Amino acid sequence: MELRQLNYFIAVAEERHFGRAAKRLHMAQPPLSQQIRQLEEQLGVRLLDRTTRRVDLTAAGQVLLDRGRRIVGEIEALEADVHQVGQGTTGVLRVGFCGSATYGTMPGLVRRAAGVLPGLSLALQGEMLGPAMEEGLRGHTLDAALLRPPVASPDLEHRVVAREPLVVAVPSGGALDADGPVAAHELQYQDFVACPPDSVLYRAGTDLCRRAGFQPRIARVAGGTSALLSFVAAGGGVAVVPAGLRAVQLAGVVYRELEHAPELELAVAWRREDRSALLHRFLDLVADLRSGSAAAP
């Protein structure tokens, strides 16, 4: 049985008339009658009871009509789904992101994705370190990642989408809870709360201190951004963080600008060989971060 024959039969069964069905199908009546006879011969059953005035369904014909409608509907839905996936308008993308992108970048990006690509479903994995995201991309457990360069793997492409200066998060009521920028050398005698040593943020903070002439005293290492800020709020030390984290207003934490603060880059990374239309629609959307449109409310 061919799909074309099934559509012919459904038209005749719904119209209960060969002439009206032929008109609906934009074809002549004799070829339509011939196709229905061929279908009955192939199936070995009579599908229609024909009279001079109308056409009625046999029991077998009713079964074919009921199930045939579902089959045609499924095929039409499948065609639409395949077209949308091919055009990059629907599907699932698995996206990892670093902890410091959680508050400043991701909310605006998710809102924009919902508005621009309503058929896109984002499976988000947050608070990830760069090496883990690179491994996820290479292992095909992630499709894209928002991370801090550099990107080590030659199998991955990346595009810088934002830059933000470093600031220092300090306990409220402490010695550094004051107005105005702070110079890096003023942090010399403070305990530090830091991200794990293989993170870009850890290296950025220690480089800042070394350029100011001292080695930071790491009192605690936090596995994620929220844990890091919680340690600061509890008086456990100060933390050098990207300016985007100022969006997190946590009781007990004060953010101070740094004099001559270096900037951290945020990039989107993906597998070099990935030609998915959906991925590249998403990459175009992330590129809007450069103009700030993705972060707009």
Side-chain angles (χ1 to χ4, degrees):
M1 183 194 314
E2 298 178 6
L3 180 60
R4 171 176 52 87
Q5 291 175 308
L6 184 57
N7 279 313
Y8 289 165
F9 169 76
I10 291 172
V12 173
E14 290 178 344
E15 296 292 341
R16 296 293 203 274
H17 192 279
F18 275 91
R20 291 194 298 271
K23 184 176 180 180
R24 167 175 157 181
L25 293 166
H26 306 289
M27 64 185 298
Q29 183 175 333
L32 176 60
S33 300
Q34 183 180 8
Q35 288 291 327
I36 298 301
R37 282 195 299 271
Q38 288 179 358
L39 180 60
E40 289 178 318
E41 290 172 2
Q42 290 170 12
L43 296 175
V45 296
R46 192 174 75 256
L47 299 171
L48 302 169
D49 285 328
R50 304 161 176 85
T51 68
T52 55
R53 303 189 64 178
R54 63 177 283 116
V55 175
D56 290 318
L57 290 172
T58 65
Q62 186 63 55
V63 170
L64 184 58
L65 176 62
D66 292 342
R67 296 187 63 179
R69 282 169 168 164
R70 292 199 295 270
I71 290 169
V72 170
E74 287 288 340
I75 290 174
E76 290 175 350
L78 176 61
E79 290 175 345
D81 289 347
V82 169
H83 176 75
Q84 288 177 342
V85 170
Q87 294 295 312
T89 58
T90 189
V92 178
L93 279 182
R94 299 158 300 174
V95 180
F97 56 96
C98 59
S100 55
T102 303
Y103 309 99
T105 300
M106 292 307 298
L109 179 57
V110 171
R111 282 196 303 270
R112 185 167 177 80
V116 176
L117 295 173
L120 169 63
S121 177
L122 291 175
L124 301 176
Q125 300 180 44
E127 295 281 354
M128 296 185 72
L129 296 178
M133 284 188 274
E134 290 195 37
E135 181 179 351
L137 289 169
R138 293 194 307 270
H140 292 252
T141 59
L142 291 177
D143 302 304
L146 285 162
L147 45 70
R148 304 287 180 184
V151 174
S153 174
D155 299 326
L156 304 180
E157 293 276 5
H158 75 281
R159 177 190 303 158
V160 175
V161 295
R163 291 178 175 84
E164 55 186 327
L166 294 174
V167 298
V168 59
V170 304
S172 60
L176 294 175
D177 183 359
D179 294 329
V182 59
H185 67 81
E186 296 179 59
L187 305 176
Q188 181 170 358
Y189 301 108
Q190 300 295 318
D191 288 336
F192 278 77
V193 181
C195 289
D198 57 348
S199 70
V200 172
L201 189 53
Y202 178 95
R203 293 193 295 272
T206 54
D207 287 348
L208 174 78
C209 296
R210 287 168 184 160
R211 286 195 298 272
F214 69 96
Q215 182 72 22
R217 188 169 63 223
I218 307 297
R220 291 175 178 81
V221 173
T225 306
S226 19
L228 182 145
L229 292 178
S230 295
F231 280 130
V232 174
V238 302
V240 175
V241 298
L245 281 189
R246 288 182 295 192
V248 184
Q249 294 299 309
L250 184 64
V253 177
V254 174
Y255 300 96
R256 293 192 61 186
E257 294 181 3
L258 284 165
E259 292 181 357
H260 311 296
E263 290 186 329
L264 277 189
E265 294 179 331
L266 181 68
V268 59
W270 67 96
R271 286 182 298 279
R272 187 185 302 277
E273 80 280 0
D274 195 335
R275 297 292 182 264
S276 160
L278 183 62
L279 170 67
H280 287 274
R281 290 285 298 272
F282 176 75
L283 295 177
D284 290 341
L285 186 151
V286 177
D288 289 342
L289 286 170
R290 294 176 178 174
S291 63
S293 56

